[in-house]
Amino acid sequence: MKPNEIDEQLKRALRRCEPPEGFADRVLARVEREASRTTSRSVWTVWRWPFLRWAPIAALIVIAVTGISYQVHERQQEAEARAAKQQVMLALRITGSKLRVAKQKVKSVEAGKVENKL
Amino acid sequence: MVFSIALRFVRDRSVAEELAQDVFLKLYRELPRLESPEHVKFWLRRVTSHRALDYIRGAHRRAELALDDVPEPTVAGKHNDPLMERSLRKLVSSLPDQARAVIVLRYQEDMEPQEIAEVLGIPAATVKSRLRRSLALLRGKVQRLVGEPIR
């Protein structure tokens, strides 16, 4: 036997073995299963993020607050409009009564002038 | 490479395939963290070796192997002596787990002791001493087998 012959014989004896037929397909199938499971799991993982979990609730609160604020604003405007209407009516009533008084005064003045002429 | 390392470590084709599939599945998960083809190769050898050694430690089965259980290479080598190669494979299979791991990585994967040390996570000196002891053991057994001294 030559020196280091056992090294060479071991290298030859321990050549790599090929995997069984279909091995690559089976690995790919497992990887695909893993990939699909990871995708569905990642959706749930995203849902577990605190921000995203509370986002719909926060949106509902914002919508409710906005709606209530709008209603309050609308009611305030209605109340202001009613008050303005009442003030206008009052002003008109006052104006009407003052016009009547002025008219009566004009009539009485005109009647006095006629008597003086006679 | 992966299947072959697993097969020589665990000496069972179905277990080796299962282990190799696990390793590739793990590779798929870890791929973004691996930086180069060399890194992938190192990673595959390391993970396969550790998985196979873990399996062996867990299995606790050291039954004497029949000759047919010893994995045969699929490609014939040049100037080969089929009987000697078969005997050597059987002798390697009968080595203790850690010694077999070192021999397989040295002669199947053609790795240097330093690389084997990095893959197995043991000191290079330990790898060298295991190689020396294993080779001495194999030489002795081959010598008894063929009836003449071998270096």
Side-chain angles (χ1 to χ4, degrees):
Chain A
M1 285 282 183
K2 294 173 190 171
N4 298 325
E5 191 170 351
I6 194 161
D7 282 355
E8 293 305 316
Q9 285 189 333
L10 275 170
K11 279 182 186 174
R12 283 200 294 272
L14 298 180
R15 288 188 305 278
R16 283 179 184 168
C17 306
E18 291 295 319
E21 202 176 334
F23 172 75
D25 293 335
R26 288 191 287 279
V27 170
L28 286 175
R30 278 187 71 177
V31 167
E32 279 173 16
R33 277 202 302 275
E34 169 78 6
S36 61
R37 207 171 53 207
T38 307
T39 307
S40 62
R41 196 170 51 207
S42 65
V43 170
W44 285 109
T45 307
V46 166
W47 178 247
R48 286 193 190 108
W49 290 354
F51 169 74
L52 284 180
R53 195 171 48 191
W54 292 105
I57 296 166
L60 281 175
I61 291 169
V62 169
I63 290 167
V65 168
T66 308
I68 291 167
S69 304
Y70 180 74
Q71 281 187 341
V72 169
H73 179 68
E74 284 282 296
R75 282 178 191 169
Q76 278 177 346
Q77 280 195 328
E78 280 176 16
E80 284 172 9
R82 269 198 302 274
K85 190 181 170 185
Q86 282 172 352
Q87 283 177 348
V88 169
M89 294 298 287
L90 182 63
L92 284 174
R93 271 200 298 275
I94 292 167
T95 309
S97 62
K98 290 206 171 179
L99 276 173
R100 269 196 303 277
V101 171
K103 210 173 177 179
Q104 281 172 355
K105 281 186 179 174
V106 169
K107 277 182 181 174
S108 62
V109 169
E110 280 180 349
K113 281 182 181 175
V114 171
E115 281 173 6
N116 288 339
K117 280 183 183 175
L118 291 174
Chain B
M1 175 179 78
V2 171
F3 174 78
S4 198
I5 292 174
L7 181 58
R8 295 213 190 280
F9 277 38
V10 301
R11 300 171 297 185
D12 181 307
R13 292 187 79 82
S14 59
V15 173
E17 175 166 350
E18 188 68 22
L19 278 174
Q21 285 188 16
D22 288 347
V23 170
F24 281 112
L25 202 62
K26 196 170 183 205
L27 173 69
Y28 165 74
R29 293 184 198 129
E30 298 286 324
L31 207 51
R33 288 180 218 167
L34 303 177
E35 293 152 3
S36 63
E38 289 73 29
H39 192 186
V40 170
K41 200 171 176 183
F42 171 81
W43 185 94
L44 283 172
R45 282 169 167 166
R46 186 167 58 84
V47 172
T48 308
S49 301
H50 284 279
R51 286 265 171 132
L53 286 172
D54 285 347
Y55 172 81
I56 294 167
R57 273 194 285 268
H60 296 301
R61 56 191 174 83
R62 294 276 67 85
E64 192 65 32
L65 291 166
L67 200 61
D68 291 342
D69 293 334
V70 181
E72 296 274 357
T74 47
V75 183
K78 292 179 198 169
H79 317 298
N80 54 342
D81 176 351
L83 282 177
M84 172 60 83
E85 288 180 11
R86 207 167 191 199
S87 301
L88 266 177
R89 283 194 291 276
K90 195 181 179 195
L91 291 175
V92 169
S93 291
S94 68
L95 287 172
D97 300 333
Q98 297 289 339
R100 192 169 70 254
V102 168
I103 289 286
V104 168
L105 292 176
R106 176 75 186 94
Y107 292 101
Q108 179 188 287
E109 295 300 310
D110 203 20
M111 292 167 71
E112 294 299 321
Q114 183 60 44
E115 293 176 297
I116 297 171
E118 287 167 13
V119 162
L120 295 179
I122 55 176
T126 308
V127 172
K128 286 174 187 170
S129 68
R130 278 182 190 165
L131 272 173
R132 271 197 304 272
R133 278 205 305 271
S134 304
L135 285 174
L137 194 67
L138 288 172
R139 275 196 197 99
K141 286 185 174 181
V142 170
Q143 192 179 335
R144 282 196 292 278
L145 200 70
V146 298
E148 58 175 306
I150 186 168
R151 293 194 61 173

